[in-house]
Each structure stands twice: as structure tokens, then as C-alpha cells.
Amino acid sequence: MKKIFFIAICLPYTFTMAQQKNNSLIKYINPLIGTERMGHTYPGPTVPFGSVQLSPETDTVPMQVNGEYNKRVYEYCAGYKYEDKTIVGFAHTHFNGTGHADLGDFLVMPTAGKLQLNPGTADNPCSGYRSAFSHSNEVAEANYYKVKLDDHNITAELTTTERVGVHQYTFPKSEEAHIILDMMYNIYNYDGKNVWTYIRVENDHTITGYRQTNGWAKNRKVFFAARFSKPFKNYGYKSYARNETYTGFWRRFDIYNNFPEMAGHEIRAFFDFDTESNEKIVVKFALSPVSTEGAMRNLEKEAPGWNFNKIKNEGQRKWQKELEKITVEMLSEEDKINFYTAVYHAFINPTIYQDVDGKYMGLDQNIHEAKDFNNYTTFSLWDTYRALHPLLTILQPSRANDMIKSMLAHYDQSVHKMLPVWSHYANENWCMTGYHSVSVLSDAVVKGMNTFDAKRALEACVATANNRYYDNIANYKKYGYIPDENSGTSVSTTLEYAYDDWCIAQMAKKIGNTKVYNEFIKRSESYKNVFDTSIGFMRPKSANGRFRQQFDPLQTHGEGFIEGNSWNFSFFVPHAPSELIKLMGGNNKFVEKLDQLFTMHLDDKYFANTEDISREGLIGNYNHGNEPAHHVAYLYNFTNQPWKTQEKVRMIIKSQYNNGPDGLGGNDDCGQMSAWYLFSAFGFYPVAPGSDQYALGSPLIKSAHIKLEHGKSLKIIAHNQSEQNVYVAKVLLNGKKLQTPFIKHADLANGGRLEYFMQEKPGKN
Amino acid sequence: MKKIFFIAICLPYTFTMAQQKNNSLIKYINPLIGTERMGHTYPGPTVPFGSVQLSPETDTVPMQVNGEYNKRVYEYCAGYKYEDKTIVGFAHTHFNGTGHADLGDFLVMPTAGKLQLNPGTADNPCSGYRSAFSHSNEVAEANYYKVKLDDHNITAELTTTERVGVHQYTFPKSEEAHIILDMMYNIYNYDGKNVWTYIRVENDHTITGYRQTNGWAKNRKVFFAARFSKPFKNYGYKSYARNETYTGFWRRFDIYNNFPEMAGHEIRAFFDFDTESNEKIVVKFALSPVSTEGAMRNLEKEAPGWNFNKIKNEGQRKWQKELEKITVEMLSEEDKINFYTAVYHAFINPTIYQDVDGKYMGLDQNIHEAKDFNNYTTFSLWDTYRALHPLLTILQPSRANDMIKSMLAHYDQSVHKMLPVWSHYANENWCMTGYHSVSVLSDAVVKGMNTFDAKRALEACVATANNRYYDNIANYKKYGYIPDENSGTSVSTTLEYAYDDWCIAQMAKKIGNTKVYNEFIKRSESYKNVFDTSIGFMRPKSANGRFRQQFDPLQTHGEGFIEGNSWNFSFFVPHAPSELIKLMGGNNKFVEKLDQLFTMHLDDKYFANTEDISREGLIGNYNHGNEPAHHVAYLYNFTNQPWKTQEKVRMIIKSQYNNGPDGLGGNDDCGQMSAWYLFSAFGFYPVAPGSDQYALGSPLIKSAHIKLEHGKSLKIIAHNQSEQNVYVAKVLLNGKKLQTPFIKHADLANGGRLEYFMQEKPGKN
């Protein structure tokens, strides 16, 4: 049974009538959606695309136990698990919905009573600084989080600006009130992840410092500057490093107490206060990718005063402003929560990655200044090229261009001469496969929305696609596919390269570079080389041209695919569905196979040991909980049965999205899962970014009014919309009936009116 | 027996006649002086006050063995021991003459044959990349070092610019020629000292990177950019970290071979070449305190071409230019070598610490720009306030001002609100005692040579001297001395504080701040509180006012003094010798005691276990090998027997200085030992920097012509000079006979003529 949350009843008492009016949409944001099971979202506050994501951590789970990978760590990608009963503190950086993780920088925890510098255990929270909490004392809104820390009788409230996390702690009367700053806490923590940490006590209420970690990002540095609203009476730290930090002549001091420099591999600091009953202490904690000086500048510019509610309200207004770009009518309040929370989740990553003065850390570890753009980081491209970036192209074209300029800056700074694969915080983490940046760049150019130099972008794409040592590009170019013996993901990577190459070809075509077009359009046909017509599936092939003998197209592991089986991946030719249909034996066989995908039973054994595929994310063998098949429901449009797309899309939405903590069927993956929802709710989807075409589906909205950035509006109306009327009878674009189940980007880009006429039965004509 | 070196015979064949003329003085520089025994100098090239000190390392000695401090490490403060038979490579940073150490950044070693990434052992150099060498194949000049690496049949030549180390390796014919870059090598190395290292292969002949270490400097970062004159055919690295560095998705690459990013806690990289017989490969290795970008800028600005000899000659011209400021006639060529090598050693530290664009890393770990000065680092102030800084005040007033401005910038960036104690590379290492920066600042102000704001400087001095937690300042202020029970160096630190406080008072007086003057002149009398008239020695005293009962004034350890016994330290009242004479019972008793200091026998047991005091550095119980008594020989001037100063000074010079590798009786201590020599050779010495007075001694020179920075000249002549004529009959200043054995700074600052008339017998009048 799904937990149905009506966030409206949780609205905090501080909301005035005026605010309610101004914030009429943000009440539909429920940050708890996806915090249970596999969503990997976090409940804490952030502003749109904000650098700071301040959120509670509910356990300290190491990445390794006795030298072995600890599967539990996967559950804590966002730090918070709705199922947990304790909170260890509030950290300032989180990814939204990833399936591998990092971050969790600068864990802050208020406590009262005897100082405890260890976090303690979930079973016995009193054994450390952590605290039990209950969801009945928890409020999560856009840019606001509140929780009662039961063990300390402290109420914690959190909010943010773009670069500053703001904590407001309401203490009991105590002569032993503490604020702990745990520099050791890490998401995906392991022995040696902390490279170095440093804290400087600038005065009795100001601290600065930094942390360098060696994790998913190999060389990641985050700087901070923080101010406390009340001077601390006492402070200090303890080192937990296995290798004692060199102290040398520092031994003449008591460096652990009231000594204003603290440094080491593994340290936890504390700041002590006397508090009156209900006394509030505010901590403003600014981040910078550049320096403590930059962090201090960010702090002073963005959060000058001590008015917590003012900062909270400013951030909420930012969300309201973003949401107001899309006014929707839907069938239920629950749908509206799903819808606006999907917008919320789509507008979190990538995040701004520069100081208020435009300075940022580049991939080359030098400090750069973003002069004609805002620099972004956290590019989960294997996921987000599919729907998130195309969505931002429509809803956030300025930011979308800045994101691409950030990717081009990454390219300029890359010693590999490559666009990002999966990058965060001035690091390439090389996660997943393909070179899907090229899809994002191509999509922007093909849709004519680029303010960046398309020629330079094409150069970057070509260089990326020709890197001599990246993940079998050399073999792929040599054989026309990646031989089975050279890669564990030879088939899926071949398929992804083929699609990416098609994107490059489209971009080349658009800017008239025939040479590049010819080269890459040829490469884009490589998918044919791994399709085994004898079984009708994509299948691993050796360098000698023979397909692998023992092969199970239902199996995800060890069969040549990444995070998906051949059944799902065999449909991954988004750029040439008609060719794929031919390969698979023509229209009827193709439809049959698609039908089967959604209806067949997948035995537990096929996903029992995988992190990214779960029963919840599956419909038959169709895996919506992970990305490779996200376009698949829309492939019926390329057959004679487009009404099946409509049916499947509405089914997927019902099955995979709800407004409770378990409301996402899989990782949100930096907003990709939410972006899929939003496109589908609007009634169309970009099957192959890099083309200017969207495939029509079945809208979920009753109406949507989208204010485009240039001022014009796009109005989408679903006449006769209901739970039952999932089929589309006809579609009018600006009053004119569409003849195919496709529209072009240009049809929407200048606004207009898109009308769906819904009915209960398939529109089989 | 001393090894007497005549450097002239070692002059390399490349010297042309023209160069010989231009470089007529640098031939007297013998960088090998002090490389044996306790001098702790290094033989490799550097330019005056240069950022790069490129020098051979002759062993890899860890700071700890089985968790215990390894005494041998002390011998390797400068990386090179003349006694050693093998070279492990050439590193880019070294201190000149310190008694504790750090640095040794970026060890480069050329090898031929099978690649070996371990250094191997001194006993069996073939077990690693190190090589045997012999002094007969070694040349050390100003800014030039050359050695034959026997095991590899490679000749290595080294030279530098201010910020670039330049290596020229002459290889044999080989298909297995390598250049190793060992990022693990550290001076004073221990497990965990390397915090992080990073190398980026920008192209086939360019690399960049950085290292962060946690050693004497807790948070030290050095960045580099290097170019090879020949592209490498192959490259890679190996990780030696106990904790494997997180590799994550990097596992899809062979990150250890030809992958252009290398990172980890402990790594060694290699670059492979094919070489012809006698093929030269040049490596230009630039450093930066700021960034790899800054290092690259330094490289391009300072070392654009590939002409090794040109760079070498430019650096030698810089030395020649510095030496030409002082033209001396001396009694022997040996003395001239001692003299100009002392100038050389006095002009190494402090070092320039900023990029060519003025940017540097500040103590606050932020990047700053030096706008109206050049920023310097490496302030070994416990040593250098005594004679080195006063010497630079005369010979290098612009640089001396910039050094003080650098100290004031340090103060501005200090979270402790303190001037440097012992600082290097954007770090305070807190080494030794006192707050002797105030002496340097005061001396400049009192002598009227300051171009910095004296009021701001006084503020900094007062803040420093009042730090609430630094080394018993609080107790010192409370009791008028540091109680025995609060410090292991209660007496010496009290004495040093008293002197430093007197310096602050002098500065306050000079700028008319009576309040500060009164406060600090009172504090400056604190030395009286630790003088025990009953025994005539400085002695530890408890908070209750009682002197320690069990007490041995000959013992260095555990008796309340640092690096000196009470016998030496009891004379440490440089600011009030006349008062000290009174305390010690008047003129005769004082003279008797001084005589005794120089003549008594100090049993081995008193220094068997100390690093900083050795038999070589002692004359009787007078310890010239370390600093506390450096002014003591000049104290006779305050008695009725100043001729004993003359006698002792000449005796000390004879005993403590020679022109061989064992030519320094103790650590050069960043030039302090050399500066003592130079002042004494000129015939005067600053007993109490912070006063404008010099005590006269017995000059060693026959004549010295000093070109002062403002254009005027100071001519010093010792008439009738000889080995025997060590006594001064009379002294004429600009033709006028001096009535006391003192002169004032103002007497010299505008140039003029100082004439000593030497004789064989004491001038007892």
C-alpha cells in the first residue's frame, strides 16, 4: 500500500495569509517523495540549482566493512532513509537521487548534555551525539526542514540560500549545549577518504576551513565559512586518525582546546554554549569551491543578517517563481503534489558551482572565472541526457545554455580532451558508459537554442568520441562494435556509442560539416553489428565476429550490458526506431515484443543482487526504475499502434510515482526520473535527444500553462481528461490537427496551444 | 684535520675568459661548505633568495623507525651529506642550514636500464633507482651542480632561476632511459606526511601537479609545472600507499600506464625515453605556491628556452652582482672563499614566495597578491634576528623591508594575531621560543630604514607579545617570569621575552608611544627575576618565588633552557649588558666569568645526546655552533677589557669556519652562522638588534668596499692586518678617532670610511 501524503496539512504555522497566496504552488512540493526505498532523494532544503543542499543524515554507513564493499551504503546515497529512527546531523552537500554517491560535507549537529564526539549507533543513539527523532515531529518543505531531536530536546530548522546553509537550533536551558562539526562524516565513507580537513576559528563566532576527499571524485575540495549567532564559550576538537597528524612544535600548546587552528585527516570539532530555555542559535554555513575567502564573500553577500525566516522565505519565493512557470490543472491534489515535486526534483541538479564573484575550481584544479555564463557541476549524463536536459531546454533555456558552457569549460580544462562523462566538483568520476554530453550539446544545437559556439561544441564532441583510451572507443572504431572479450558491457556501450555518434552527426549536419556528418552517421549504425537476428536480441559478439554462445537476454549481469538486460537494451536504438523495427522482423513482431516486455514475468533471480533494478521499478520486464528503457514506451509511436504508448505511459505513471516517501520507483538520478514524469505528464517525450522531434503520449495534466523564458506561453489542454480516458482521440496544434503522433520542437518553442482530446478507448486510427 | 678546498681548481672547463672576468667573485663561492657534519647546507644551485633550491639527496632517512624518533634524520636536514656515497635524486626545495626540516619536494632522478621505482639502499644502490657517485666527479658552484651518476652512466647538471629548477641529463645510448619523479620523497619523512599528490600529463613533454604535506608545516602545498626537452615515449606510476587510493570507475582504465592523471597519497611516476649516446635531456621544473597555472606562468616567464648554459650563466651573474656589492681584500684565498661563501649563505634564506605575477599563498590558506612588495617566506627568526636580519638591513635594505612587509602580511593573515615565530610556505611551524619578529621590526625602525608603517608594525608587535595562549606569555606577564613548573624552558624563554620586550619598547620610543614604551621597558627587566645572585646564574624559579634546588648550570637538558645551558644563557641580556655586569658582581667578576666560559672544559656527557650542540661547535663551554651565545664574545666591550672581544672573535673565526665541507661549526641556520662571520669579518657586531649600536671587534678583512643600495659606499680598512695582529690599537671613523668600542648605525648608513689599526698585542687602553 502506498503512503499517501497530503503535504498541505503539514504547512507550518508560520505561514501567513500573504505568504500562502505568494506561495500557492510550493505547498505542492513534498521533499520526502523518494526518501524511502530507492528514490535516493533527500528531504532537506535547497534553492533551485543551489550549491548547498542542507539535509539530515540518518546513519553512518561505511562503504567498506572488513575490506568488502558494504551493500548497505547504496541505500544512503542521499544520506537520509525515511525508515530510519535517528539523525546524526545535518550536512551541506547531497546529490538528488544518484545510484552511487559522495559528498555529505560538514556535518553539523546540536546536542545538549555531556559532550559526545562519536555519533553512536542507530540502535543506541544515546551512545553518541546522534538523536532519535520521529516523523510526527518532522516538517519538509521547499527550502525548509524542521525536526525535533528527541534525545537532546532540541528543535532543528534548516534553510538555505544558493551558497549558504542556515541552521536554527532551539535549545533547552543548558550549561552544556554544543554544536558539533564532524569533518569525518562522508557519504560513501571509507578509511582514507578524507585527505585533509582544516578549521580556523577566526573569532568567537566565526570559523572557516576546508575538506579534501578522495572518493567518487578523486581530488575534491570544499571550502567553508560559518558564523554562529552567539559566541561560543569554548571550543576544541579531537583527532580520530589512525596515523596521528604531525604535531611537532604545536605540542607546546593544548591544540585540542581553544586553539584556533584545527587540522587533521579525521577530526571532529565542538563549540560550547550556555543556553536559556528555548534559546535559538543560528548557524550560517557558506560553501565555496575556491577558498575560505570565497566562502566568506558568499556568506556576506547572500546571508547578511540573522533572520532565519527571511532567508527561508526568500528561498521559498525562488521555488514559487520557478513553479509559476508552469500552472497546471490536474485530476487530483495528489497528482499536483507529484507534478510540482517532480518539477522541484528536476530543478535541483546540476548545481551552481561558482562563488558570487564567478570564480570556481576547474577540472584542472586551477581557479577559473566564469565570465559570460554561470558555471554548473554535477552532470549525471548517462541519466540526464534522456529527458532532464531536453526538459531544461524548454523550461530553463538560459540555464541549459550555461550548463553546456560549463561542460565546454570542462572540456577545455580536461587533460583527456573530453566532455564530461559524469562529473562533479571539478572532477570527472567516469561513472557509467557512453559520452552522452554530445547528446546534450547536439540537442541544443539541433533545436536552435544554443547561445554557445556550435562549431567549438562540435569539435569537443568529435574529440570526446575519438579519445584513444576511453572505454574501448578504439576497439569500437576498429571493429564497429566492442568485442565481448574487451568489456563487460560490450553491447550496451556499443549501443550507447552508436546513439551518441548519431547525435554528433545531427549536430554536424545542422552546422553543415559534411565530413563529420558522414563519419559519424556511419558510426551511428554500429548497433546493427551487435544485433543477432537469429534470436532477435542485441547480443555480445567476439572480435572474431561470433556471437557469444551461452546467453540469457533476461540476465543483467555478465551478459554484456550495464544496469539492464538485453530485453530492455535491445530497444536502445532511439535514433533509428524504424530500422530497429525492421531488424526485429517488422511492425507486428516488434509490437508483440514490446507488449511482451511490459507483461512478461521477470524472476526474482534476475535482479536479486543488483542495486539499480528492483521489483518496485519493474512493470513486467520493463524496468522504469532505471534509465535504459525510458524511451521504450514511446516506441509504439513508430508502429501502427501508438495508442499503446498512451496506455503504457499512464500505466507507468500510476505504478512508478506517488506522493509518499516511497513515491519513486527507482533512483531519481539527478532529476531524470522526474523529468520523464513531467514530459509524460505534458503528453510528449524526446525519444532521441539530438532530433527536434517529440513522440506524443497521453498527458496526465488537465491543462498546463507554460510561461516560456522569452515571454510567450505554451498552453497544453487535455480535453475530457480523466483516470479512465487515457487514450488520445486527436491532437490539435494551434487548432490544426496533427497527422502523426509526433511534434517538432519548433512547434512548441514559440508557444502556442496544444490540445489533446482524451477518450476511454484506444484511438486505433 | 680540516679539509682545505681550493675551489679555483674545480672551476668547470666551460668557463670562458669573458665569463671568468664577469664572474671573478663567484669562483669564491663553495656551496659544499657546511655539507659535512652539522652545517646542514646543501650543495645544489639556487639564485639569491630564490624560491627553488635544486639539490642532490644522498639518502632516504625516515623521521620515525618503529614509531620512535630516528636521530639520523637530523643529519639530513638539507638532504645531502658529504659523507654519503649514493645519490637518490634531485629535489627542488631545501632549507639552508636548519636544525629541523621539511621540504625536499619533487625528487627527480634519471636512470638507464631496467625501470626501478624504489630508491634502493645506500649499501646496495643497484637495488633501486639510486646511484653511487664520487666527489671526484662532482662540481658545486654558485647556481651550478654537476655529478656523474655512476650506476646509470648519466651526468646530471643542475641550475635554477628564481622559480625554476633546470636539470640537464646526459644519457648513454639506451632504449630504457627513464626520468623518475618520486612524489613520496620528503625531508623528515614519516608515514602520513604526504597528504595528497597529483600529476597531470598535459602533453607528451609537459606535466603539472602538486603535493600537500603535513609536516613541520602542517598544511603545506607546492604546485609545479615541468617541461621535458624531449617527448617521453611512455609514462606511468605506481602507488605505494598503505591505504589504496579510491579508484572507483577509474578501474575501467589502466590508470598506471599512459593515463594522464596520476594521484594518490604515495606515488612514484616514471617517464621513458630512447636515448642516443651522450644525448642530453633537459627538464625545466617550475614551482608555485599558488597553482599549477602559476607554476606554468613562472616557467614560461623565467625559463623560455632550452639553453641550459644560458640559464646557468644568468643565475651566476645574479650571484656575481650580489657579491660585487662587497669587494674585499683578505689575508688568504681561503679566507676569501670563507667570506664569499658566507655572503652566499647569507643571501639564500628567506626566499621569494610568490609567483611572477605577485600571487602567493597566505597563512590563511587563501591566495593573496603582494602589491607593493615582494613576498618572502622561511623565517627562522630565533636564529636570524641576531645577525642575519641586521646584516640584510645594511646590505639588502630593500629586501629587508620586503621581508618585514611579508612578516606583517603574515600577521594580518594570522588567526593568532601574531607575527611569525618560525614560518615557512604559508605555515607557522612554531619552532623555538620567543617572539623575535619584534626584534627585526624594531631594529629596522630604530635604524630608520623602514619603508613600512612603523605604527602598524608596533601594533603587530604588541599584539604578538600579548597573545593569551602562546608559550606562557600569560604566566610571564603574571609572574614577571615563567615559573619552572609551567615550562621546560622557563628561564631561556623568560630571557628571550625580556629582550624582545625591550625591542618593542625601543620601537615605541622611536615613534613616540610612551604608553607602550613604559609597559614594555618594564617587562624587559624580567631577566632579573630569574637571576640567582647566590650562584651568579640564571636559574629556574617556581611560581612561589623559590629557585629550583637541584640545578646544574652546565646541563642543557631539563634545566629550564633551550639548546643551551645556563652558563651560556646567563649572558643572554643583550639589551642591558651593564645591568647584567652589575648582577654578576661587577666588571672583574664578569670578565672572569666570560674568560671561564671560553676556557673551561665541558664534559661530553653534557652534549652527548643533543642535536644542536657538538664538540665541533664548542670553544670551552662557549657554544658557537648554536645561537644563544652569538653575542657573548662582544660583551667584553662592555667591560674594561674590550681587547678580549677582539681576541675571542678571531679565535672563533679560526675555530668555527673553514672552506671545506666541514667548514661550519654548527647549523648555518638560514644564514645566521654566516652572518655572524660577515659582521665579525667587518669588525663590528649587533649585540642587541633593536638598538642602533654595534660593538666593535677585530676585523678579518684587510679591506672591504661595501656599495650601499642608495649608491654611497662604506670603506672598511684594517691597517697592518695579519694572522697575528688580531688586536685593535685604534679605530678612525671618517678620520676621527673613536673613543669607545662602539659605533652607531647612522655612522655607517651613509657610507664613509672605517679604519682599524691592527697590532699584535692587546690595546689595553
Side-chain angles (χ1 to χ4, degrees), chain B residues 626-643:
Chain B
N626 205 0
E627 277 71 14
H630 270 193
H631 65 297
V632 167
Y634 287 91
L635 291 182
Y636 287 107
N637 272 22
F638 298 87
T639 72
N640 61 355
Q641 299 178 36
W643 56 270

Side-chain angles (χ1 to χ4, degrees), chain A residues 190 196 219 246 252 430 432, chain B residues 196 215 219 246 252 430 432:
Chain A
Y190 72 103
W196 195 245
N219 308 283
Y246 177 72
R252 79 170 80 175
W430 301 114
M432 300 305 288
Chain B
W196 196 244
N219 307 283
Y246 177 71
R252 80 170 80 173
W430 301 114
M432 300 304 288

Side-chain angles (χ1 to χ4, degrees), chain B residues 13 80 163 169 187 189 328 515 633 745 752:
Chain B
Y13 50 86
Y80 177 99
R163 295 165 181 86
Y169 300 133
I187 292 175
N189 199 17
V328 286
K515 188 167 166 288
H745 180 75

Side-chain angles (χ1 to χ4, degrees), chain A residues 578-737:
Chain A
S578 304
E579 292 300 310
L580 180 66
I581 289 167
K582 279 185 215 158
L583 278 182
M584 286 192 173
N587 181 83
N588 294 355
K589 284 201 169 174
F590 185 79
V591 169
E592 194 182 318
K593 199 160 195 169
L594 270 181
D595 288 348
Q596 213 180 334
L597 177 71
F598 284 97
T599 51
M600 67 196 290
H601 177 72
L602 190 65
D603 194 87
D604 279 352
K605 72 177 181 186
Y606 288 116
F607 51 87
N609 289 315
T610 175
E611 287 178 331
D612 279 273
I613 300 168
S614 67
R615 180 61 76 197
E616 296 84 3
L618 287 170
I619 298 172
N621 181 11
Y622 167 76
N623 178 17
H624 192 77
N626 205 0
E627 277 71 15
H630 269 193
H631 66 296
V632 169
Y634 287 92
L635 292 183
Y636 286 106
N637 273 21
F638 297 86
T639 73
N640 62 354
Q641 299 180 33
W643 55 270
K644 284 191 176 167
T645 287
Q646 298 151 28
E647 171 187 285
K648 296 291 183 292
V649 165
R650 292 288 281 264
M651 178 179 75
I652 295 167
I653 288 178
K654 275 281 160 211
S655 145
Q656 297 290 308
Y657 300 88
N658 77 61
N659 70 346
D662 64 348
L664 288 173
N667 302 159
D668 195 38
D669 281 322
C670 292
Q672 166 59 25
M673 196 66 77
S674 295
W676 187 95
Y677 174 96
L678 292 170
F679 266 121
S680 295
F682 290 141
F684 55 90
Y685 189 84
V687 169
S691 90
D692 60 351
Q693 177 182 275
Y694 300 103
L696 298 180
S698 171
L700 186 68
I701 48 107
K702 286 168 74 180
S703 74
H705 183 99
I706 303 173
K707 286 188 232 162
L708 299 171
E709 205 171 74
H710 47 51
K712 295 184 182 163
S713 290
L714 173 64
K715 182 100 184 176
I716 305 172
I717 300 159
H719 299 286
N720 212 19
Q721 178 68 285
S722 75
E723 294 283 348
Q724 292 72 40
N725 296 350
V726 302
Y727 297 104
V728 178
K730 63 173 179 179
V731 180
L732 301 185
L733 176 65
N734 297 322
K736 196 176 161 192
K737 189 177 168 190

Side-chain angles (χ1 to χ4, degrees), chain A residues 480-491:
Chain A
Y481 60 96
I482 301 170
D484 189 14
E485 54 271 41
N486 293 118
S487 166
T489 64
S490 62
V491 186

